Amino acid sequence: QVPLVESGGGLVQPGGSLRLSCVTSGSIRSFYTMGWYRQTPGKERELVATIFIDSGRANYADSVKGRFTISRDYTKNTVYLQMNNLKPEDTAVYYCNAWRVRPESVIYWGQGTQVTVSS
């Protein structure tokens, strides 16, 4: 099991910003992609953003395009999610995800961090 540790969640007012971090114990270069998903009670977990570790190419859910940015830092073995102009509908538990494809396909999840956007 590869531990993924999220941090950076919290309470923020609408229009505010937060930066989530996901740290792994090993090198992030061992992963094909890493990303962030979110989930609210009674709903399925949904994709927020993913990044291809080698190329840095990123994909975003339509609902966060232009507001959120995913990035990676090899030296810190960390993937970030910068969230700007937060809206109440962004309130959710955010989960870090990592996909390793060699020697076999394995997907890892963090424990989640709560983000609450409220005035």
Side-chain angles (χ1 to χ4, degrees), residues 10 14 19 23 25 37 63 79 84-85 87-88 91 101 119:
R19 188 177 77 160
V23 182
S25 59
Y37 288 68
S63 59
V79 168
N84 298 327
N85 190 22
K87 304 176 181 180
T91 296
V101 297
S119 55

Side-chain angles (χ1 to χ4, degrees), residues 1-2 21 43 46 63 69 80 95 109:
Q1 184 70 18
V2 174
S21 300
K43 292 189 176 181
E46 64 173 3
S63 59
T69 303
Y80 301 99
Y95 295 91
W109 292 95

Side-chain angles (χ1 to χ4, degrees), residues 85-118:
N85 190 22
L86 282 160
K87 304 176 181 180
E89 51 264 42
D90 294 318
T91 296
V93 178
Y94 284 70
Y95 295 91
C96 180
N97 161 282
W99 181 23
R100 175 174 288 161
V101 297
R102 295 187 183 89
E104 61 184 358
S105 179
V106 181
I107 294 175
Y108 303 95
W109 292 95
Q111 294 300 307
T113 184
Q114 176 71 45
V115 171
T116 302
V117 184
S118 175

Side-chain angles (χ1 to χ4, degrees), residues 53-72:
I53 295 300
D54 278 350
S55 68
R57 181 167 61 90
N59 295 308
Y60 297 92
D62 288 342
S63 59
V64 306
K65 283 181 181 177
R67 300 188 297 122
F68 291 11
T69 303
I70 188 170
S71 62
R72 81 262 194 254

Side-chain angles (χ1 to χ4, degrees), residues 13-81:
Q13 292 185 343
S17 298
L18 285 174
R19 188 177 77 160
L20 304 183
S21 300
C22 175
V23 182
T24 180
S25 59
S27 172
I28 61 172
R29 291 182 184 272
S30 68
F31 299 114
Y32 181 55
T33 67
M34 293 184 70
W36 292 92
Y37 288 68
R38 65 187 182 188
Q39 190 171 23
T40 54
K43 292 189 176 181
E44 292 187 357
R45 196 170 294 186
E46 64 173 3
L47 171 70
V48 176
T50 60
I51 187 167
F52 289 86
I53 295 300
D54 278 350
S55 68
R57 181 167 61 90
N59 295 308
Y60 297 92
D62 288 342
S63 59
V64 306
K65 283 181 181 177
R67 300 188 297 122
F68 291 11
T69 303
I70 188 170
S71 62
R72 81 262 194 254
D73 185 331
Y74 295 134
T75 64
K76 297 181 179 179
N77 292 319
T78 300
V79 168
Y80 301 99
L81 185 68

